[in-house]
Each structure stands twice: as C-alpha cells, then as structure tokens.
Amino acid sequence: MAAPMSADRFIRALRGEELTVVEVGSWRTHNRNHKGPWGPVNGVMIHHTVTHGAEHTVEICRDGYDELPGPLCHGVITKDGTVHLVGYGRANHAGAGDRDVLAAVIAEKALPPDDRADTDGNSRFYGFECENLGDGEDPWPEVQLDAIARAAAALCRVHGWTARSVIGHLEWQPGKIDPKGFTMRSMRDRVTELLK
C-alpha cells in the first residue's frame, strides 16, 4: 500500500518515461474526493473507452455523463500515444471489484478470478482510459501500446511495484471486458521489460 503521489510527482513520473503529456484544464484538482477516499493506492488499472476520436474521447473522460460524472480516469491515452491528464484524485473508473483480486495485487501474486464486486476500486487504483472502440477489431497502434506500458511503468517505478500491480478492468470487476484487443499478460510483459 502507498499514499498517492502528488499531482506534480505524477506528471514528472510520466514525462520521465519519455511520454508526451498534455494537461487538460484544472486536472490537478478535478476529482471525486468528496465521494470517498483517494488512497492508499495499490496499482494501475487499464481500460478501453468505447469511443473514437481523441478530442471527443478526452472530453468524455474528463466530464463523464449524467449517470457517471467525471473524471472517468486520471489519464486518457489516445491512438497517437499522447497521455491527456484529465483528473487527479478519486476518479470514477474502477468501480466495485473483487477483494481477492485486490489482495493479490497488493501481494503481487497471480490474480484469482474476479467473481464478486465488494470492494471500492476508485480509491485504490490509478486509472488510464485508452482510446479504442473495444470491439476486438479496432486496432491498437504500437505507439499507443507502448504509451500504455510506459505510463503504467512510470507509476510502478515510483511506488516500487512490479508489473503484477498493473491490471485490466476485466480482471477486477465481473462482467467487464476491457481492455479488449490485447491481453493484460502481454501488457505486463511490456511493463516488466521497461522496469528492467
């Protein structure tokens, strides 16, 4: 378990991995902290957006929608590999998930099946939404996959985590399928290489 890093440390960590980072509005103070705790943090969660177009994707992830107010993540990774920071603090991205999965992430062990939703993930995970339709056909450009791995590695490096602290939404919450189009095992392999 770790206290969340400051917003300034967060952006420095991302830029330290040679990522192109864009700051969107007052991202440092845009959060859902009034709805519950932010931290301790235990890992990084990867999502796909089910959207197309960078500007539209960033707007939705920053503002959310009627049923789910934004921010919907901390950073949006668009097809060109740019990381757009849209919020910092508690974000509506993880929802409720499996406490056994959280225990495995904390222990950095193999993940069990996610068969219940009994634990708040919004307080425990950094979240990256990644621009993709999520239909299994929309391609994942190499530059985007590399950026996802670098963003996750940046946070793992700061907290002293291994790639086992990087999970997909589908590994956390029953019924979720994201990210679709690559495996989290392959993404964790990329993170492991970056952390060497």
Side-chain angles (χ1 to χ4, degrees), residues 28-49:
R28 286 177 171 83
T29 56
H30 184 51
N31 57 55
R32 304 286 296 162
N33 288 359
H34 64 286
K35 290 294 186 180
W38 166 230
V41 289
N42 304 110
V44 181
M45 191 173 293
I46 307 300
H47 307 262
H48 66 229
T49 59

Side-chain angles (χ1 to χ4, degrees), residues 9-51:
R9 182 68 184 97
F10 182 74
I11 193 171
R12 280 198 317 271
L14 295 172
R15 287 181 170 153
E17 291 292 330
E18 301 177 7
L19 288 162
T20 300
V21 180
V22 173
E23 300 180 69
V24 180
S26 56
W27 69 272
R28 286 177 171 83
T29 56
H30 184 51
N31 57 55
R32 304 286 296 162
N33 288 359
H34 64 286
K35 290 294 186 180
W38 166 230
V41 289
N42 304 110
V44 181
M45 191 173 293
I46 307 300
H47 307 262
H48 66 229
T49 59
V50 194
T51 60

Side-chain angles (χ1 to χ4, degrees), residues 37-179:
W38 166 230
V41 289
N42 304 110
V44 181
M45 191 173 293
I46 307 300
H47 307 262
H48 66 229
T49 59
V50 194
T51 60
H52 178 72
E55 185 177 341
H56 171 68
T57 298
V58 170
E59 181 180 341
I60 285 232
C61 290
R62 184 186 191 287
D63 298 336
Y65 41 92
D66 288 343
E67 300 81 28
L68 193 67
L72 304 183
C73 58
H74 300 102
V76 181
I77 303 176
T78 49
K79 293 273 191 182
D80 64 358
T82 301
V83 181
H84 304 260
L85 299 183
V86 296
Y88 200 70
R90 185 180 176 90
N92 276 335
H93 74 98
D98 193 309
R99 68 175 172 230
D100 294 334
V101 172
L102 179 61
V105 170
I106 292 169
E108 296 199 309
K109 294 185 175 178
L111 299 178
D114 56 330
D115 55 14
R116 61 183 147 192
D118 59 3
T119 301
D120 174 25
N122 292 334
S123 66
R124 301 292 194 142
F125 291 95
Y126 296 102
F128 290 100
E129 287 280 358
C130 307
E131 179 193 354
N132 192 276
L133 292 175
D135 58 6
E137 296 179 14
D138 191 15
W140 290 93
E142 176 59 29
V143 67
Q144 187 182 26
L145 292 172
D146 182 62
I148 296 167
R150 287 179 182 278
L155 307 189
C156 289
R157 201 179 304 283
V158 169
H159 288 297
W161 298 331
T162 72
R164 287 193 179 239
S165 290
V166 181
I167 68 171
H169 201 192
L170 78 169
E171 296 173 305
W172 169 247
Q173 190 176 68
K176 295 298 182 180
I177 64 167
D178 56 314

